[in-house]
Amino acid sequence: MAVVSVLIPPSRQPTPCPYLIHNLYTVSMSDGVGAETRGGSVEWHDTTELLDLAWLYGIRALQLSPIGDLKQGKFGSVQASEIVETAEFFRPHSVILTLGLRIDPFDEQAIGEYVERLSQAEVAALGFGTGLHHSDVPPALKKACAAAGLPLFEVPRKTPFALISKVVGGEHARLQAATANEILEAAEGLNRAAWNGGVDALVGRTHNAVGADVLIGDSSGRVISSAPAQPTERALKALRLAITDGGRSRAYRAENRMIIVQRMRALGGKYYVAVVDSPHALPPLSRSAIKHFVGLAEIVLRDPPALRSAETQLRGAALELFLSDPTTEPAVERLLDGAADADGMVVPVAIVAANKAASSRALTRLDEGLGLGQQPLAYMRTAPDGFVFLSRTPMTGEVASELFGSFATRLRVLSGRRSPWRDLTSDELTYLVDRARALPPGTVDEYVPRRLDWAEEETVHTALSRRYREVLAPLAEDDPALLEAVQAFLLHGCEFRAAAESLGVHRHTLKARIDRAEQRYGLPLDDPLGRAELLVLLSIDAPEG
């Protein structure tokens, strides 16, 4: 069965998401002939959108001062380096920031050689920090940069290099978030076309989306679908060449046009070939749409029921995108509204299995069961053994039996509170999975958070605060990370693996911290009553004084 990867680069990534590939794709090709691949697919590699130097200079908070007439250019990243002997560690299209610690302002030959190395490394610009080692930008450096055509700007002492990197990183994140929504909308449109109209609708939608002629043919040379309906001779020639060459995927230029040929996986002795004939270079969004189109076409031609899986992945991508950046976009809203009830409400349901394989099996059965009732599935995997999906009602034992059969006795199912999907947080869903993990296998339950109201009474709270100062305050003051480890250990039912994953450390590291807390501070972590007392103390706000 083929699987379509939804291509969305999120602005922030709190947890890995199995549905997302975090980079855009670009076709690798030369100016004259096609760049062919040996693995049977077009070669795609990561690309980063370049920024304008004029944009960087225009940020008032940085107070950068361009020197000379070279003020235009494009750059992709920022690197701070005092290396002058070599440029092999500099990335192309990068801005190099230096304080000139190893630059002699009067050695014109050495400065010229340094600038020449930067130019050969395709550095975009040089930022020179003044006010520390050099009071001004050396005239010899100005002269060398002007001669080499390398943009040069001054960085005042009050502007940390780290601030420049932070500003550039923030702009890249903003652009990636905008692109993420565009790609999500494009993928949603292609999925809808494939679902509702099959291969012809998919080909037509791709034709309109990327502004290129699109054709699908089989290994006999027969045209399966084309947009426009009457394929051009150029596209037919590309199909014939591909069949002659065994359907090998490649990208090349012909008659000042970009031709992309992509072979799909064979079924028996038969395979299909997609041809895209574009009159212009394809931007990142179009390249992502083509990648998605090929995956969908393969599904439609080989395994139509798998379109359900593609739609599920798209909703999962929308959920992950929303949780990483709650600023909702139209495409995200449409997808998550479809998973909610008429009032926009959802019930997050956590399902935990014994291991990753069992969890994947549970997810497959869930998708199949919901699909029979035409119910959409939006889910997020928070751990290898567990995931959360958005339901419209809490899951009951009867529903679990219908969905999972006898396999339900090996699962832990915990429904959370009903709330608008816009109020969901990543931490809330992760915590729900952790709570489900502590249940016995075969349990189907609802989790309703309850506060220790009795602990808020003045006399009780005073006593607890005094006890906190006796037991936990020394640990909180000496080693807050150790207190965090103890809290995670207790909240995860004293399971080292789950607690370590929540902290992002190895379980051996966590065990060493727990041992240190017991030995150095005398915490009763091996005593059930002692653990219960610590949990109560950790549930109150740390007392002052």
Side-chain angles (χ1 to χ4, degrees), residues 203-477:
V203 168
R205 179 73 182 224
T206 306
H207 167 69
N208 294 330
V210 304
D213 295 345
V214 180
L215 176 150
I216 294 179
D218 63 17
S219 51
S220 69
R222 181 172 63 95
V223 175
I224 304 299
S225 182
S226 174
Q230 182 60 42
T232 64
E233 182 56 35
R234 186 174 46 253
L236 292 173
K237 179 180 179 182
L239 174 62
R240 289 193 294 269
L241 288 174
I243 301 303
T244 302
D245 201 22
R248 180 168 51 173
S249 300
R250 56 189 305 216
Y252 59 93
R253 293 188 184 276
E255 303 177 23
N256 293 322
R257 297 173 68 93
M258 174 184 284
I259 308 294
I260 299 174
V261 176
Q262 177 72 61
R263 171 174 168 161
M264 304 175 205
R265 283 183 290 181
L267 181 62
K270 184 178 183 179
Y271 61 84
Y272 297 97
V273 174
V275 175
V276 177
D277 175 11
S278 174
H280 48 72
L282 294 170
L285 178 60
S286 295
R287 295 194 293 265
S288 297
I290 291 172
K291 183 83 173 180
H292 196 65
F293 152 70
V294 171
L296 281 174
E298 185 174 78
I299 290 176
V300 174
L301 294 168
R302 291 165 43 90
D303 193 4
L307 279 176
R308 163 78 186 185
S309 175
E311 190 72 19
T312 296
Q313 288 194 32
L314 197 59
R315 292 187 189 278
L319 178 59
E320 176 73 11
L321 184 61
F322 165 73
L323 292 174
S324 66
D325 183 3
T327 305
T328 55
E329 299 287 353
V332 173
E333 288 191 5
R334 286 194 299 272
L335 288 166
L336 296 184
D337 277 338
D341 63 16
D343 298 321
M345 307 290 283
V346 296
V347 176
V349 179
I351 298 180
V352 177
N355 49 48
K356 183 178 180 180
S359 176
S360 298
R361 179 182 173 188
L363 182 59
T364 299
R365 289 199 177 186
L366 175 66
D367 196 18
E368 292 173 349
L370 294 180
L372 292 175
Q374 297 297 308
Q375 298 181 48
L377 172 62
Y379 78 102
M380 182 183 79
R381 186 177 290 282
T382 63
D385 63 343
F387 61 89
V388 179
F389 80 95
L390 305 186
S391 177
R392 295 170 182 170
T393 58
M395 182 173 290
T396 64
E398 181 181 357
V399 172
S401 297
E402 292 177 358
L403 289 171
F404 305 110
S406 60
F407 189 52
T409 60
R410 300 167 57 184
L411 302 176
R412 303 164 175 87
V413 181
L414 186 63
S415 299
R417 62 184 178 87
R418 184 173 181 266
S419 64
W421 65 260
R422 290 174 176 81
D423 292 346
L424 295 175
T425 66
S426 181
D427 290 341
E428 176 186 351
L429 300 189
T430 301
Y431 181 70
L432 188 64
V433 170
D434 293 338
R435 296 284 303 188
R437 188 178 290 110
L439 300 173
T443 301
V444 179
D445 201 358
E446 289 187 53
Y447 172 65
V448 180
R450 297 182 177 87
R451 291 187 54 84
L452 300 177
D453 296 332
W454 54 268
E456 300 301 324
E457 296 181 8
E458 184 176 356
T459 55
V460 176
H461 193 274
T462 300
L464 290 176
S465 297
R466 183 172 61 251
R467 183 59 175 162
Y468 183 98
R469 285 191 290 270
E470 294 172 355
V471 177
L472 294 178
L475 176 58
E477 295 172 0

Side-chain angles (χ1 to χ4, degrees), residues 479-498:
D479 196 339
L482 207 58
L483 180 62
E484 183 183 25
V486 170
Q487 186 170 16
F489 178 66
L490 293 173
L491 289 177
H492 288 82
C494 301
E495 291 189 8
F496 282 104
R497 186 186 67 175

